[in-house]
Amino acid sequence: MASGGEVISNKQVLFKNFVEGFPKESDMVVKTSSISLKVEGSNAVVVKNLYLSCDPRMRHHMMKGKDPGFVSFKPGSPLEGFGVAKVVDSGHPEFKKGDLVWGTVGWEEYSVIKNPAESLFKIHHTDVPLSYYTGILGMPGLTAWAGLYEVCAPKKGECVYISAASGAVGQLVGQFAKLIGCYVVGSAGSKEKVEILKNKLGFDDAFNYKEEHDLDAALKRHFPEGIDIYFENVGGKMLDAVLLNMRLHGRIVVCGMISQYNLNQPEGVHNLMNIAYKRVHMMGLIVFDYFPQYSEFLEAVLPLIREGKIVYLEDIAEGLENAPAALVGLFSGRNVGKQVVVVARE
Ligand code: NAP
């Protein structure tokens, strides 16, 4: 057991070098260094990391400063991402030893957080699994909530389509849409995921996009009268097919385009004129814009979990050694549900 002031070993997942194409496990290496558990300098905190979140956005940080708004990971330093942690020492007046927090941490056993008030939220509700703060109660949950309710403003009876529907964000979008009486169809990349969407997550229907040679025909089969709301997670050919199937005054929220993240040259989209023909509103979403609404979101979603009105599927990888494989697996659909890495269980 480590106590404040002690210097102890700190296992880390280090980023090796900038990535082209699909990320590989060998783009990261697990090494052990040491860390002082005593805060040096005021305002910082030292945290013990418990759960780490694997997010597709981390792929952008693996590139050399290409995307505006994304700070590249530093070669030779730990990856960074969202996680749940416990404060072991604090020089910040708002945080004390023992506090549970979620926010941006390093991929390592212990992290020094220099500006905790800017990068960490305190966790006050612990009657739900702590790992949920990487998913349903963290960044992906807020993304689903804001993208559906704030951006798309769904109405009862509307037809909602979600791609990457069984993942961290998609599974929630579908359940949120069902709660207000929408007709919800999702797509995912395996038979197992399709069964989960229909039988565990309460989607009205689902299909395996990898088995569909004609995505346009698949969408026409599921939405004979068209799509009112498309929650876009994958981009590419799927977006092209969706554009052909949007209804008049439909809404598309562009949350992500994971099918494009590992391509050197993004695919083109051919059916954009449908946006005009059908007066479609197509809007971009960046979850960080909604962080000021986090408390409101939490108040809305916690009761849904407690009352069993919403469920959340997690895919748990044990230990930092398995973190590189877990992260890389997002890009081949290996994860079933929210991909979490357990570093320690308190
Ligand atoms: P996730 O769905 O839990 O995991 C990624 C999934 O994407 C995989 O399991 C896989 O599922 C699917 N996928 C991977 N490669 C694909 C490809 N080439 N074509 C189609 N599907 C592919 O991830 P998530 O965290 O929920 O994120 C979903 C999307 O939301 C991502 O695009 C992410 O970048 C975006 N996002 C955006 C924001 C924002 O602020 N805008 C915030 C959070 C997430 P299948 O088995 O179904 O293929």
Side-chain angles (χ1 to χ4, degrees), residues 5-321:
E6 210 179 321
V7 173
I8 62 160
S9 69
N10 190 23
K11 200 182 287 174
Q12 301 179 306
V13 181
L14 303 179
F15 177 58
K16 274 166 66 180
N17 215 337
F18 299 111
V19 173
E20 294 242 348
F22 277 77
K24 305 177 293 302
E25 285 181 54
S26 59
D27 293 322
M28 295 157 263
V29 62
V30 180
K31 283 205 169 158
T32 300
S33 67
S34 60
I35 186 169
S36 164
L37 295 187
K38 187 93 195 123
V39 163
E40 320 255 339
S42 61
N43 280 332
V45 297
V46 181
V47 297
K48 177 179 178 178
N49 294 315
L50 305 177
Y51 299 96
L52 298 177
S53 173
C54 294
D55 290 298
R57 64 189 288 274
M58 294 171 76
R59 176 63 185 85
H60 302 297
H61 298 275
M62 293 177 151
M63 288 190 286
K64 196 173 187 177
K66 260 190 194 168
D67 278 4
F70 282 99
V71 179
S72 305
F73 291 143
K74 257 197 229 126
S77 293
L79 281 82
E80 287 187 355
F82 286 102
V84 173
K86 190 173 201 167
V87 175
V88 291
D89 193 25
S90 174
H92 194 288
E94 287 169 31
F95 295 86
K96 62 177 191 316
K97 187 176 169 180
D99 280 349
L100 289 163
V101 293
W102 76 269
T104 304
V105 297
W107 273 34
E108 53 195 346
E109 287 175 291
Y110 296 91
S111 297
V112 177
I113 312 292
K114 288 198 178 122
N115 301 306
E118 283 161 33
S119 50
L120 298 178
F121 287 92
K122 272 206 223 179
I123 294 175
H124 298 291
H125 305 278
T126 54
D127 58 321
V128 290
L130 274 183
S131 55
Y132 277 15
Y133 290 89
T134 67
I136 182 169
L137 296 177
M139 183 278 286
L142 184 59
T143 303
W145 184 78
L148 184 71
Y149 293 140
E150 297 276 320
V151 180
C152 295
K155 291 188 275 301
K156 188 175 173 185
E158 286 193 314
C159 294
V160 177
Y161 172 52
I162 303 146
S163 52
S166 68
V169 175
Q171 60 173 307
L172 290 173
V173 177
Q175 293 183 80
F176 288 155
K178 281 306 302 171
L179 284 176
I180 51 164
C182 294
Y183 178 76
V184 177
V185 177
S187 60
S190 73
K191 197 167 173 237
E192 180 197 3
K193 291 182 181 182
V194 167
E195 287 307 309
I196 287 172
L197 289 171
K198 292 199 282 192
N199 300 325
K200 278 202 181 143
L201 299 170
F203 283 51
D204 292 292
D205 214 341
F207 65 93
N208 178 354
Y209 69 94
K210 288 182 182 164
E211 283 178 352
E212 300 288 347
H213 301 296
D214 182 343
L215 290 173
D216 176 31
L219 291 171
K220 288 200 161 54
R221 203 167 70 234
H222 289 282
F223 297 100
E225 287 173 23
I227 299 166
D228 294 297
I229 291 174
Y230 173 45
F231 200 101
E232 166 68 303
N233 284 321
V234 309
K237 293 181 181 59
M238 184 61 85
L239 174 58
D240 247 337
V242 167
L243 286 168
L244 296 172
N245 287 280
M246 289 304 293
R247 259 177 137 165
L248 202 64
H249 302 297
R251 287 87 81 203
I252 297 176
V253 56
V254 181
C255 172
M257 296 197 173
I258 195 168
S259 73
Q260 307 297 296
Y261 296 172
N262 300 311
L263 306 179
N264 289 332
Q265 189 62 45
E267 285 173 295
V269 179
H270 304 279
N271 298 322
L272 287 170
M273 197 54 203
N274 284 274
I275 294 174
Y277 299 148
K278 288 147 179 188
R279 289 74 147 178
V280 170
H281 285 234
M282 190 167 176
M283 295 150 287
L285 163 86
I286 290 295
V287 65
F288 299 112
D289 296 345
Y290 296 90
F291 271 40
Q293 282 160 258
Y294 179 70
S295 312
E296 188 192 329
F297 156 77
L298 202 61
E299 269 173 46
V301 175
L302 271 170
L304 298 176
I305 299 172
R306 290 176 181 141
E307 290 161 23
K309 290 190 175 147
I310 208 154
V311 293
Y312 198 58
L313 286 186
E314 296 181 313
D315 192 332
I316 304 281
E318 293 288 339
L320 280 171
E321 293 80 4

